Amino acid sequence: MFGALFQLLFKYRPAVFEQGDFALGAPMSVILIVLLAAALTIPALLTYFRVRGKSTPRDRIVLTVLRGAALLLLMACLFRPMLLLSEAVPRRNFIGVLLDDSRSMRIADRGTGASARTRSDFVRDTLGEKSDLLRQLRKKFQVRLFRFGGSSTRTDSAGGMRYDQRETRLVDAIEAARQDLEAVPLSGLVVVSDGADNAAAEVNDALLALRARAVPVFTVGLGSERFARDIEVQRVEAPRRVLKNGTLVADVIIRQRGFDGETVPLIVEDGGRIVARADILMPAGSDASPVRITAKLSESGARTLTFRIPVQDREQVMENNAQRALVQVRDAREKVLYIEGAPRYEVRFIREAVELDSNIQLVVLQRTADGKFIRLNVDNGDELVAGFPKTRAELYKYTAVVLGDIEASFFTHDQLAMLTDFVSVRGGGLLQLGGRHSFSEGGYAGTPLADAMPFVVEGPAVADSLSFFADLAPSLTPAGFAHAVTQIGTAKLTATEKWKSMPSVTAVNRIKKLKPGAVVLITGNVPVGGRAGMPGETMTRYEQPILAYQRFGRGLAVALAVQDDWQWRMAGSIEIDDLSFQTFWRQLLRWVTSDTPERVEARATPDQVNPKSPVNLRAIVVDSAFLRLNDAKVIAQVTAPSGARSDLPLDWAVERDGEYRAVFTPAEEGVHRVRVTATTSSGVVTDTTYIRAAALDAEYTMAEMRRPLLQRIADETGGRFYTADKISTLPDDIAMTKRGVTVVNQMDLWDMPVIFVLLVGLVSAEWGYRKARGLA
C-alpha cells in the first residue's frame, strides 16, 4: 500500500531513488538565467511589506512565504532535476537463482487447515518454467538456476527438485554459485530459502568475500516467521560419558508456540526402551523452556538416547518433536583415594555404601596414630606404603581424592600444591568432608588447596574447644532439584520430599562466603529444637551450605561440609531397608569421577552427522604428569557398523600443544567406534569415542523462517530482502545494481505528480488565505 502510494506521487518506486544519483538536466546558461530572474523577483516580493491597505504584518509574511514557495518550486522545475540510474543492459548480464532443496521446504505453513500449501509449492508456482517472475528475469538477464541443501549443483528447472536434502549449507551455496559465475558479468545472486542454515560455516567470512567482490545477494524468505501451534525439542545437552548404572542428567530445551499452560510428556528412550518420563508444563509467555531430566543407564557401550514429546493435536510440524544424544556408558572401575585423619564412622559407612558398586574402587588411607596408617582395598602391598603420594605420577593414578577430617599441616606444601594441580591440571575430582580439622578450622587458609575449594577459606586453624557447631536439616536448592547426586527419591516420595524427611546432621565448620562460581546443591537450616553458633552463642535461625561445588581448571572441587552424614544411614528414623545413604554416596563418587580425563582424550565434533558428512577428530595427549606432549604418534582406528576397520593418522596441531587432529567422513549409517592410540616415550595409552551417522532431522529444528539471517545477508552485500508476497519488483531491483554491463538512464523528476499537487496546494492556500482575511 505504501509503495503504491509513493509511486503514484513520486512517479518511481523507492528503490529507484535509493539506487539513482541526483543531477540537474538544464544547461548552465538556463540555470544562470533562472537565477537572474529569481533575483529580479525579490523586489516584487518585498512590496508585500510596503503595502498597507487592510493587511497586517502577519498577513504579509504568510502571503510572502506562500508566493515564494510556489516560485521556488517552479524555478526548481526549470532546472530539470533528474535521477541518473545505471541499469543492466537486457540479456547481457547473468544472475544466479539459488533454490532451497532441503526437507524444511516441505513444511505446509502457507495458509491454514487442509488448504495450507508448502514452501516448495511457492517455488514451483513462482519460479517454474511458465511463471511470470522467471519470464521477467529471463527477459532482463541470463538466468542460471542452482539447487542447494547439503551441497549446491546446477539445475535446469524448479520442477525437478525433490526437497529431500537433510541439511542446508546456505553460506557455502552462495559462495559456490559466486565462483561458478565468476567468469561472466554478474548482476547479483537470488536466494530463495527459509533461511534454515544448519552448517558450521562462519557467515561473516562469506559475507566479507561477497562484499569484497561487490556481489549483491537478494534474499527471498519463505515460510511463517512464527508458527501458530507447534512444539519442538530444540536441543539436548547431556554428558558424553557416564558410568554403567549411573544417573544421566540431561538439559532439554523445549520450544513451543500456542501451548501456553498445557502439560505435555517428555519421554527418554534407550533403544526403544523407556528409561525416563516427566510431565512438562509449558509456561505462558515463554517460547523456550529449559527442562532437566534424569535417567539411569544400565547397558554399557554407545547408547543413542531419544528425547521426544508425542505429537500433539493440530501441530504444524511433526518432525521436530524429538532429538537424539549419543552417550558412552562406560563399564570401567574408577579408582578413588580416601584419606582420613582419624578413625570415625564415615570410613565404615562410606565403604559399605560403595562396596557393591563394581565401577568404584575406594582405596582408604586412614591414620590410626601419629605416623601410623591402615590401608584398605589397595591393589598390592606397595601401594601407599609410604603414606600419601609424594609424586604427581603416583597421585594421578587416581581419578578422585576424598579428604576426610585431616589438618592441612599433615601435608607438605608440595603435596598441597600437587593436590591443587590434581584438580586443575589432571582434571580429577576433589571431595572434602567436614570435620574439626577441615576447611578453615583445619588451617587450610592460605594454602594452595584453598583456591580449589568452593568456599572462601580464611583465618587461622581453630582449636576443638572453640569450634563452631550447628544442627542442620537438609533441603534441596533449585540447582540440586534435578542434579544426579541428589536423586534419592522413591516410588512414594520425590527427591525433594525425601531430603526434607532426612535426619538432621551437624556441622563444625562455619561457611561464611561462597566463591562466585560455586553452586550449592543441598543447604541446611537449624531445625526445631536445634541450635547453631560458637561456644556461648545460640542461634535458632541459621542456614549454610551442606553440599556445594565449583569447576576448578579441568576438574571438579566438591565440599560436603558436615561431620556426620552417616546419620542418614543410622538415625533412628531411618528404616532398615532405606538405601538413601548408599545411593547418595554411590552417585556422589560417580559424579566426582565422571569427567576425569585419561592420558589421551579423544573427541569427535560433531558426534552425530548425516552419512558422508565430515567429522573433526581431536585427541589431547599428555605424559604421566599430565603435561602435554607434541611428539606422540597418534592413530585412530575406526570400526564401522559393518565391522570394517580403517586406520587414520592424527597430525599434531602446531598451534596447540598436545593436540592432534584429523577429519573422518563416515560412509555407512550407524554408530562408528573410534579407538585412538597414542604411542609416547613412556608407553601406549588409548581412549575410545563414538560417531553416529544417520539421517538427521536438523532441517526441522527452528524451522520458522529465519528473517534476521536473510535480512543480514541482503543488507551486508547491497541486496534486498523480500517476503513471498513482495517479490514482484525483484527483476527491476536487480537491474539497478550497477553490476555487469549497464547503461545510464535519465529519470526526469520535474514532472512528478507531487510537484503539481504542491503547486496547486500553494496557490490554493494563498487564495484561500486572502479570501478568509478579506484581502481578495
Side-chain angles (χ1 to χ4, degrees), residues 87-302:
E87 193 167 8
V89 176
R91 303 286 297 169
R92 294 285 300 277
N93 298 287
F94 288 73
I95 62 168
V97 180
L98 289 77
L99 306 177
D100 193 337
D101 194 29
S102 64
R103 289 168 61 86
S104 62
M105 297 292 284
R106 298 178 178 181
I107 296 175
D109 57 354
R110 300 178 63 232
T112 58
S115 62
R117 307 198 68 201
T118 65
R119 300 168 184 180
S120 59
D121 289 338
F122 173 85
V123 176
R124 281 188 285 263
D125 295 344
T126 309
L127 289 164
E129 283 301 310
K130 297 182 180 180
S131 68
D132 289 338
L133 182 63
L134 186 61
R135 180 178 53 80
Q136 293 175 30
L137 287 171
R138 285 177 170 165
K139 185 177 180 181
K140 292 176 177 288
F141 307 99
Q142 298 286 339
V143 179
R144 296 292 181 265
L145 296 178
F146 299 83
R147 62 185 184 93
F148 71 94
S151 60
S152 176
T153 57
R154 286 272 194 98
T155 184
D156 294 330
S157 71
M161 295 169 57
R162 297 187 299 272
Y163 305 100
D164 58 354
Q165 299 202 40
R166 291 185 173 271
E167 57 185 344
T168 302
R169 300 179 178 273
L170 178 58
V171 174
D172 294 345
I174 293 173
E175 179 61 17
R178 184 199 64 77
Q179 293 180 7
D180 189 282
L181 300 174
E182 195 168 26
V184 298
L186 182 62
S187 289
L189 299 173
V190 179
V191 176
V192 183
S193 172
D194 51 24
D197 182 47
N198 43 50
E202 178 56 49
V203 176
N204 291 334
D205 296 340
L207 293 181
L208 285 173
L210 291 170
R211 283 204 303 268
R213 293 168 175 81
V215 178
V217 179
F218 297 81
T219 56
V220 182
L222 302 183
S224 171
E225 292 187 58
R226 184 180 178 88
F227 292 141
R229 187 171 171 85
D230 186 61
I231 287 183
E232 173 188 338
V233 179
Q234 183 174 326
R235 187 172 72 251
V236 174
E237 295 180 358
R240 293 190 310 121
R241 296 174 175 174
V242 296
L243 281 175
K244 183 180 178 181
N245 296 316
T247 300
L248 174 136
V249 178
D251 291 314
V252 183
I253 305 299
I254 299 174
R255 195 163 176 257
Q256 62 92 10
R257 300 280 193 262
F259 284 86
D260 291 359
E262 297 188 31
T263 299
V264 297
L266 174 62
I267 299 171
V268 185
E269 296 178 348
D270 179 5
R273 179 173 57 89
I274 296 177
V275 294
R277 179 188 174 101
D279 290 328
I280 310 301
L281 176 65
M282 299 288 99
S286 177
D287 291 342
S289 305
V291 175
R292 178 164 286 183
I293 190 168
T294 60
K296 191 169 184 178
L297 304 180
S298 57
E299 296 185 32
S300 61

Side-chain angles (χ1 to χ4, degrees), residues 504-543:
S504 298
V505 288
T506 61
V508 293
N509 308 103
R510 188 164 193 168
I511 309 303
K512 298 179 180 179
K513 186 179 180 181
L514 285 169
K515 290 182 178 175
V519 179
V520 178
L521 301 178
I522 305 175
T523 188
N525 291 275
V526 176
V528 176
R531 65 182 180 86
M534 303 294 288
E537 174 190 19
T538 300
M539 296 181 289
T540 58
R541 299 184 64 182
Y542 179 76
E543 180 181 2

Side-chain angles (χ1 to χ4, degrees), residues 468-489:
F468 170 83
F469 184 88
D471 294 310
L472 298 174
S475 62
L476 295 183
T477 65
F481 172 74
H483 198 278
V485 172
T486 63
Q487 302 308 302
I488 61 171

